[in-house]
Amino acid sequence: MDKTILVVDQDRALAENLKELIEFMDQPYVVTAVPTNWRQRIGERRLEAVFVGPDLSDQDVSGLLADLKIFDPNVPVVMMQGKS
Amino acid sequence: MLLGEAKQQFPWARIHSLAYPLRLDALGEVLEKIHALHGVVHDDDLRTGYGRLIGDSQEMQLVKHLVNKVASSPATVLITGESGTGKEIVARRIHDLSGRAGPFVAVNCGAIPEHLLESELFGHERGAFTGAVNARAGRFERAKGGTFFLDEIGDMPAVMQVKLLRVLEERVIERVGGAKSIPVDVRLVAATHRDLPRRIAEGRFREDLYYRLSVFPIEIAPLRERPGDIELLIDEFIRRSRDKQKVTLRFSDHAMRLLEQYAWPGNVRELANLIERLAVTRTNGVVNARDLPWPLAEKCDQLADVVDVVDTAPQTTPVALPADGIDLKLYLAEIERDMIECALSDANGVVQHAARRLGIGRTTLVEKIRRYKIKHPI
């Protein structure tokens, strides 16, 4: 099964933008705005990378990374930066 | 959370950054880095046949000869050549012919953040740093009994060059935070697009490491220096697009000549990408000179007169009907749409002129433009 890119982002426009780019690159993806439900969303799929939106609170980022550490600590995390 | 804070708070995590607003090239770069981090190539990838060395030029014959000669020996190999010339394919071929039972493991030294590279190559012991809750084997250990391919070795940080030199001299590694020397049984193949002697002169690459690596050097010539290989490569990429996208591309003589004359700064990778893109966009399979993208199309415009003569001439490629047939109406409609777009582009969007070039009336052309939803400058 192909690995999936997970996008966790609360900014709908940014998530949409990223989704379009990932689609253009023919990569499978799952988008969620809720940082606690990604395990259910990805199902049995393995993760290629996790994109973390800039609007997530520090607490949400910490929680997400703690969950990821248990799931697979080798999964690369991409933090989106520089949003004004 | 800022990037620096995240890296400090979660030292175990493999954190990258992506700047907003998002750009396709920046996303591509991040994903490439990620692929480099997870760059273990499994045997399945090698069984596809895509790892063959293609080309009959003297330059490629020499590369094939050197690969065959060195494959079964344990010698360290240094492959040099411009980006896109196929250095990794040569490395895989060496592994394939080596008879070594272990895996082919690749790592891109330029793509892995410096602070992660040591742990990535040598692994780490439990508690080596905050968050290292489990011991983890590095790439050297994972390549046990196989081939370890260090791509972009010219971009390896200086501190890692010293550590790699020690591995090459003593054939042992130490995990980060570990005191035990672990023997490594790997065949090392390195590659770079950099001019290593120049980097040595600039003080950016260790001379002693260079001599350790270049026991058996193989240089791959850029595609522009072996134009005779272009047709063979195109045939191979057409075969792949037929397998993958179920489209058989057929190039007009003039399009083929343009491809052979082009300098291919991105080398074989650029050619492969072009064929793949054409297989997606030219669903009818026919590729004329005008269908080639910039900068090839620019050359096509300069030779417009020749194009008109050659591309309107009957195709020399024999017509073959696919075994499962075609939808003739759809096929002809695609050709018609392409011709209309071409005529409109030539006429700078002036429908009257385009209609004249197509030999149809203006009203008919307007109706066809509407039907095909063609966007054109008016």
Side-chain angles (χ1 to χ4, degrees):
Chain A
M1 189 184 285
D2 275 350
K3 284 185 171 181
T4 297
I5 289 178
L6 172 68
V7 179
V8 185
D9 198 348
Q10 288 168 342
D11 180 330
R12 200 171 169 170
L14 199 152
E16 201 58 35
N17 188 197
L18 183 59
K19 201 175 95 173
E20 276 173 14
L21 295 180
I22 296 172
E23 260 174 15
F24 185 81
M25 302 186 89
D26 280 339
Q27 289 267 5
Y29 62 87
V30 168
V31 179
T32 177
V34 187
T36 48
N37 76 347
W38 61 272
R39 289 290 290 268
Q40 294 95 299
R41 296 293 308 279
I42 65 166
E44 294 298 309
R45 283 168 285 205
R46 290 181 300 148
L47 288 177
E48 170 92 20
V50 178
F51 284 73
V52 181
D55 284 352
L56 246 56
S57 69
D58 287 3
Q59 198 184 346
D60 282 343
V61 174
S62 299
L64 175 66
L65 286 171
D67 288 345
L68 264 180
K69 193 174 168 182
I70 297 164
F71 180 76
D72 181 356
N74 294 317
V75 173
V77 176
V78 183
M79 299 191 67
M80 287 180 272
Q81 303 278 307
K83 190 188 165 202
S84 54
Chain B
M1 185 180 287
L2 296 172
L3 189 69
E5 289 171 3
K7 281 184 177 171
Q8 206 170 11
Q9 217 171 318
F10 308 100
W12 54 269
R14 299 174 164 188
I15 298 177
H16 303 257
S17 69
L18 181 62
Y20 189 86
L22 300 171
R23 288 191 354 252
L24 188 62
D25 56 345
L27 177 65
E29 270 176 33
V30 167
L31 290 175
E32 262 184 35
K33 274 187 188 176
I34 288 169
H35 288 148
L37 268 168
H38 292 263
V40 179
V41 179
H42 299 286
D43 288 347
D44 285 353
D45 298 327
L46 302 175
R47 278 197 287 270
T48 58
Y50 288 178
R52 289 189 300 121
L53 301 177
I54 298 153
D56 273 342
S57 61
Q58 275 191 345
E59 291 85 351
M60 276 314 287
Q61 281 180 22
L62 177 63
V63 169
K64 287 177 190 175
H65 171 72
L66 293 173
V67 165
N68 288 331
K69 206 169 167 185
V70 76
S72 57
S73 86
T76 302
V77 179
L78 178 64
I79 306 166
T80 53
E82 290 180 8
S83 291
T85 45
K87 296 184 285 293
E88 182 164 348
I89 293 170
V90 170
R92 287 186 195 196
R93 191 71 188 145
I94 290 170
H95 171 71
D96 224 11
L97 299 174
S98 69
R100 295 182 68 85
F104 178 89
V105 174
V107 68
N108 184 327
C109 303
I112 296 182
E114 196 173 333
H115 68 282
L116 287 178
L117 191 56
E118 184 175 3
S119 147
E120 198 57 46
L121 294 183
F122 305 126
H124 60 75
E125 291 295 349
R126 185 179 173 188
F129 43 81
T130 317
V133 285
N134 294 310
R136 185 168 166 268
R139 301 280 176 102
F140 264 105
E141 285 179 73
R142 283 155 67 187
K144 187 181 174 186
T147 303
F148 189 28
F149 177 51
L150 283 162
D151 200 4
E152 299 304 352
I153 189 83
D155 296 310
M156 181 175 259
V159 65
M160 287 306 299
Q161 291 179 29
V162 181
K163 295 187 177 184
L164 178 62
L165 183 65
R166 193 187 155 219
V167 177
L168 286 171
E169 283 170 348
E170 298 174 19
R171 292 279 157 188
V172 292
I173 57 147
E174 273 173 25
R175 288 182 177 180
V176 177
K180 197 172 68 174
S181 291
I182 303 169
V184 284
D185 167 26
V186 295
R187 200 278 178 75
L188 203 75
V189 179
T192 183
H193 71 283
R194 304 271 186 202
D195 180 348
L196 287 184
R198 180 187 284 181
R199 281 180 95 77
I200 292 167
E202 291 168 352
R204 298 166 78 179
F205 200 82
R206 294 184 65 97
E207 193 173 6
D208 43 8
L209 178 59
Y210 173 69
Y211 288 117
R212 278 276 170 189
L213 290 171
S214 59
V215 176
F216 196 97
I218 296 179
E219 189 180 351
I220 310 176
L223 195 50
R224 66 181 169 280
E225 287 177 15
R226 44 188 177 101
D229 289 343
I230 292 175
E231 195 173 343
L232 286 173
L233 285 160
I234 289 173
D235 287 347
E236 171 65 16
F237 298 140
I238 287 176
R239 184 182 70 77
R240 291 183 200 180
S241 65
R242 195 175 54 221
D243 293 350
K244 198 172 155 189
Q245 282 138 317
K246 312 293 174 209
V247 173
T248 305
L249 292 174
R250 294 181 299 279
F251 288 86
S252 71
D253 290 348
H254 186 63
M256 188 60 93
R257 277 210 304 280
L258 286 175
L259 294 175
E260 284 169 351
Q261 287 163 14
Y262 180 57
W264 299 107
N267 290 296
V268 182
R269 187 184 297 137
E270 185 183 5
L271 176 59
N273 288 345
L274 172 68
I275 305 287
E276 194 172 346
R277 196 159 66 238
L278 287 169
V280 173
T281 56
R282 308 299 303 168
T283 46
N284 62 19
V286 179
V287 183
N288 288 316
R290 284 181 195 285
D291 304 321
L292 300 174
W294 185 91
L296 278 156
E298 193 180 51
K299 207 167 178 180
C300 158
D301 288 343
Q302 288 164 7
L303 302 168
D305 293 343
V306 185
V307 175
D308 286 345
V309 174
V310 176
D311 279 346
T312 54
Q315 295 288 320
T316 52
T317 317
V319 175
L321 191 64
D324 51 352
I326 58 162
D327 182 331
L328 186 61
K329 271 190 187 170
L330 187 67
Y331 182 80
L332 293 175
E334 278 169 5
I335 294 173
E336 187 175 55
R337 187 198 155 104
D338 288 348
M339 291 295 127
I340 291 170
E341 281 181 335
C342 216
L344 282 166
S345 167
D346 284 353
N348 291 320
V350 181
V351 176
Q352 185 77 43
H353 296 173
R356 199 178 304 140
R357 286 210 66 189
L358 291 165
I360 57 175
R362 186 183 175 282
T363 319
T364 311
L365 179 55
V366 169
E367 195 272 321
K368 286 180 188 295
I369 289 169
R370 282 207 187 105
R371 194 196 314 154
Y372 291 126
K373 295 182 180 152
I374 292 171
K375 287 179 186 162
H376 64 97
I378 295 178

